[in-house]
Amino acid sequence: QKALKFSQKEWEKRCSLWPAVETPETKKLAQVARNMGGTFSRVSGAGGGGVMSFFCPPEKKSDVEKALSLNGAEILATQICEKGLHSQEL
C-alpha cells in the first residue's frame, strides 16, 4: 500500500509538471477502469509512454480487464513484486 500511495503521489506531481503526459486516450482508459472499480492508473515508461498500469481490488480485476479490452487496451499479464530487484555478484 505504501508503494502504491507513493506511485499515485508521484503521478499526480508528474501530471502537474507536464500535463501533456496524459493524453485523451489514457484519460479515457483511466475513466473506464474507474467506472469498473479501478482505484488508480498511471502511464509508465520513458517520457511517460509505453505501458499503462491499472490498480484495483482483486475482486474487480476481471471486470476492469474486460472493460479495458473492449476499449482498445491490450492486457499484459503482470504481478506486483514487493521485494524489488535483487542481484548477486557471480
Side-chain angles (χ1 to χ4, degrees):
Q1 281 298 42
K2 188 176 180 181
L4 180 60
K5 293 278 185 198
F6 177 81
S7 183
Q8 188 169 8
K9 286 193 178 293
E10 186 279 334
W11 178 246
E12 291 167 0
K13 178 57 85 175
R14 185 182 303 211
C15 290
S16 74
L17 294 171
W18 182 32
V21 72
E22 284 190 294
T23 66
E25 293 83 4
T26 62
K27 288 180 182 181
K28 177 186 173 190
L29 290 174
Q31 186 61 54
V32 165
R34 278 193 303 277
N35 290 347
M36 299 308 293
T39 56
F40 168 60
S41 61
R42 64 169 297 138
V43 176
S44 303
V51 174
M52 192 167 181
S53 300
F54 299 89
F55 301 87
C56 64
E59 66 273 10
K60 299 290 186 178
K61 182 180 177 193
S62 179
D63 293 336
V64 170
E65 285 182 342
K66 183 177 181 181
L68 289 169
S69 291
L70 290 172
N71 281 275
E74 179 182 348
I75 306 301
L76 304 175
T78 62
Q79 62 184 20
I80 293 176
C81 176
E82 295 184 19
K83 294 182 180 181
L85 176 67
H86 298 275
S87 63
Q88 58 184 341
E89 206 171 305
L90 297 176

